[in-house]
PDB file of all heavy atoms in Angstrom:
ATOM      1  N   ASN A 618     130.346  67.967 112.176  1.00 85.00           N
ATOM      2  CA  ASN A 618     130.346  69.379 112.564  1.00 85.00           C
ATOM      3  C   ASN A 618     129.194  70.162 111.928  1.00 85.00           C
ATOM      4  O   ASN A 618     129.408  71.140 111.206  1.00 85.00           O
ATOM      5  CB  ASN A 618     131.687  70.010 112.176  1.00 85.00           C
ATOM      6  CG  ASN A 618     131.906  71.343 112.875  1.00 85.00           C
ATOM      7  OD1 ASN A 618     131.341  71.591 113.935  1.00 85.00           O
ATOM      8  ND2 ASN A 618     132.722  72.194 112.267  1.00 85.00           N
ATOM      9  N   PRO A 619     127.949  69.774 112.168  1.00 94.00           N
ATOM     10  CA  PRO A 619     126.814  70.462 111.542  1.00 94.00           C
ATOM     11  C   PRO A 619     126.551  71.831 112.171  1.00 94.00           C
ATOM     12  O   PRO A 619     126.999  72.121 113.279  1.00 94.00           O
ATOM     13  CB  PRO A 619     125.642  69.515 111.817  1.00 94.00           C
ATOM     14  CG  PRO A 619     126.009  68.863 113.114  1.00 94.00           C
ATOM     15  CD  PRO A 619     127.512  68.686 113.066  1.00 94.00           C
ATOM     16  N   THR A 620     125.812  72.652 111.475  1.00 92.00           N
ATOM     17  CA  THR A 620     125.390  73.951 111.989  1.00 92.00           C
ATOM     18  C   THR A 620     124.127  73.781 112.814  1.00 92.00           C
ATOM     19  O   THR A 620     123.195  73.076 112.417  1.00 92.00           O
ATOM     20  CB  THR A 620     125.128  74.933 110.835  1.00 92.00           C
ATOM     21  OG1 THR A 620     126.338  75.103 110.092  1.00 92.00           O
ATOM     22  CG2 THR A 620     124.666  76.281 111.363  1.00 92.00           C
ATOM     23  N   VAL A 621     124.095  74.425 113.975  1.00 95.00           N
ATOM     24  CA  VAL A 621     122.972  74.294 114.902  1.00 95.00           C
ATOM     25  C   VAL A 621     122.400  75.680 115.171  1.00 95.00           C
ATOM     26  O   VAL A 621     123.158  76.646 115.335  1.00 95.00           O
ATOM     27  CB  VAL A 621     123.438  73.650 116.231  1.00 95.00           C
ATOM     28  CG1 VAL A 621     122.324  73.642 117.259  1.00 95.00           C
ATOM     29  CG2 VAL A 621     123.944  72.237 115.980  1.00 95.00           C
ATOM     30  N   PRO A 622     121.071  75.821 115.223  1.00 97.00           N
ATOM     31  CA  PRO A 622     120.482  77.131 115.547  1.00 97.00           C
ATOM     32  C   PRO A 622     120.957  77.614 116.922  1.00 97.00           C
ATOM     33  O   PRO A 622     121.154  76.823 117.840  1.00 97.00           O
ATOM     34  CB  PRO A 622     118.971  76.853 115.552  1.00 97.00           C
ATOM     35  CG  PRO A 622     118.802  75.596 114.777  1.00 97.00           C
ATOM     36  CD  PRO A 622     120.042  74.793 114.988  1.00 97.00           C
ATOM     37  N   GLN A 623     121.109  78.916 117.067  1.00 97.00           N
ATOM     38  CA  GLN A 623     121.531  79.473 118.350  1.00 97.00           C
ATOM     39  C   GLN A 623     120.424  79.414 119.390  1.00 97.00           C
ATOM     40  O   GLN A 623     120.691  79.324 120.596  1.00 97.00           O
ATOM     41  CB  GLN A 623     122.001  80.913 118.156  1.00 97.00           C
ATOM     42  CG  GLN A 623     123.255  81.040 117.296  1.00 97.00           C
ATOM     43  CD  GLN A 623     123.574  82.474 116.960  1.00 97.00           C
ATOM     44  OE1 GLN A 623     122.669  83.288 116.723  1.00 97.00           O
ATOM     45  NE2 GLN A 623     124.856  82.818 116.927  1.00 97.00           N
ATOM     46  N   THR A 624     119.170  79.483 118.911  1.00 97.00           N
ATOM     47  CA  THR A 624     118.013  79.355 119.804  1.00 97.00           C
ATOM     48  C   THR A 624     116.933  78.532 119.118  1.00 97.00           C
ATOM     49  O   THR A 624     116.893  78.429 117.885  1.00 97.00           O
ATOM     50  CB  THR A 624     117.424  80.732 120.174  1.00 97.00           C
ATOM     51  OG1 THR A 624     116.987  81.398 118.978  1.00 97.00           O
ATOM     52  CG2 THR A 624     118.437  81.599 120.914  1.00 97.00           C
ATOM     53  N   LEU A 625     116.070  77.966 119.932  1.00 96.00           N
ATOM     54  CA  LEU A 625     114.879  77.266 119.457  1.00 96.00           C
ATOM     55  C   LEU A 625     113.702  77.751 120.294  1.00 96.00           C
ATOM     56  O   LEU A 625     113.709  77.619 121.525  1.00 96.00           O
ATOM     57  CB  LEU A 625     115.027  75.749 119.603  1.00 96.00           C
ATOM     58  CG  LEU A 625     116.009  75.063 118.643  1.00 96.00           C
ATOM     59  CD1 LEU A 625     116.279  73.638 119.089  1.00 96.00           C
ATOM     60  CD2 LEU A 625     115.451  75.092 117.218  1.00 96.00           C
ATOM     61  N   ASN A 626     112.710  78.348 119.631  1.00 95.00           N
ATOM     62  CA  ASN A 626     111.574  78.953 120.349  1.00 95.00           C
ATOM     63  C   ASN A 626     112.059  79.943 121.412  1.00 95.00           C
ATOM     64  O   ASN A 626     111.480  80.036 122.498  1.00 95.00           O
ATOM     65  CB  ASN A 626     110.696  77.880 120.998  1.00 95.00           C
ATOM     66  CG  ASN A 626     109.713  77.267 120.011  1.00 95.00           C
ATOM     67  OD1 ASN A 626     109.798  77.511 118.803  1.00 95.00           O
ATOM     68  ND2 ASN A 626     108.779  76.473 120.512  1.00 95.00           N
ATOM     69  N   GLY A 627     113.147  80.649 121.097  1.00 95.00           N
ATOM     70  CA  GLY A 627     113.674  81.630 122.034  1.00 95.00           C
ATOM     71  C   GLY A 627     114.523  81.053 123.142  1.00 95.00           C
ATOM     72  O   GLY A 627     115.026  81.801 123.993  1.00 95.00           O
ATOM     73  N   VAL A 628     114.720  79.733 123.144  1.00 97.00           N
ATOM     74  CA  VAL A 628     115.521  79.073 124.179  1.00 97.00           C
ATOM     75  C   VAL A 628     116.919  78.812 123.626  1.00 97.00           C
ATOM     76  O   VAL A 628     117.080  78.340 122.492  1.00 97.00           O
ATOM     77  CB  VAL A 628     114.858  77.751 124.628  1.00 97.00           C
ATOM     78  CG1 VAL A 628     115.739  77.015 125.630  1.00 97.00           C
ATOM     79  CG2 VAL A 628     113.493  78.036 125.238  1.00 97.00           C
ATOM     80  N   ARG A 629     117.942  79.118 124.421  1.00 98.00           N
ATOM     81  CA  ARG A 629     119.326  78.905 123.996  1.00 98.00           C
ATOM     82  C   ARG A 629     119.574  77.428 123.672  1.00 98.00           C
ATOM     83  O   ARG A 629     118.939  76.538 124.253  1.00 98.00           O
ATOM     84  CB  ARG A 629     120.297  79.330 125.098  1.00 98.00           C
ATOM     85  CG  ARG A 629     120.324  80.819 125.408  1.00 98.00           C
ATOM     86  CD  ARG A 629     121.198  81.072 126.617  1.00 98.00           C
ATOM     87  NE  ARG A 629     121.240  82.465 127.022  1.00 98.00           N
ATOM     88  CZ  ARG A 629     122.200  83.321 126.685  1.00 98.00           C
ATOM     89  NH1 ARG A 629     123.216  82.914 125.930  1.00 98.00           N
ATOM     90  NH2 ARG A 629     122.165  84.574 127.096  1.00 98.00           N
ATOM     91  N   THR A 630     120.537  77.191 122.803  1.00 98.00           N
ATOM     92  CA  THR A 630     120.984  75.827 122.526  1.00 98.00           C
ATOM     93  C   THR A 630     122.399  75.632 123.058  1.00 98.00           C
ATOM     94  O   THR A 630     123.205  76.558 123.072  1.00 98.00           O
ATOM     95  CB  THR A 630     120.963  75.513 121.021  1.00 98.00           C
ATOM     96  OG1 THR A 630     121.811  76.441 120.328  1.00 98.00           O
ATOM     97  CG2 THR A 630     119.556  75.583 120.466  1.00 98.00           C
ATOM     98  N   ILE A 631     122.669  74.426 123.505  1.00 97.00           N
ATOM     99  CA  ILE A 631     124.013  74.009 123.917  1.00 97.00           C
ATOM    100  C   ILE A 631     124.471  72.971 122.910  1.00 97.00           C
ATOM    101  O   ILE A 631     123.742  72.008 122.627  1.00 97.00           O
ATOM    102  CB  ILE A 631     123.995  73.393 125.326  1.00 97.00           C
ATOM    103  CG1 ILE A 631     123.500  74.412 126.348  1.00 97.00           C
ATOM    104  CG2 ILE A 631     125.374  72.880 125.712  1.00 97.00           C
ATOM    105  CD1 ILE A 631     123.242  73.813 127.716  1.00 97.00           C
TER     106      ILE A 631
END
Side-chain angles (χ1 to χ4, degrees):
N618 196 25
T620 299
V621 174
Q623 295 172 323
T624 61
L625 289 168
N626 278 10
V628 176
R629 293 173 182 263
T630 59
I631 299 171

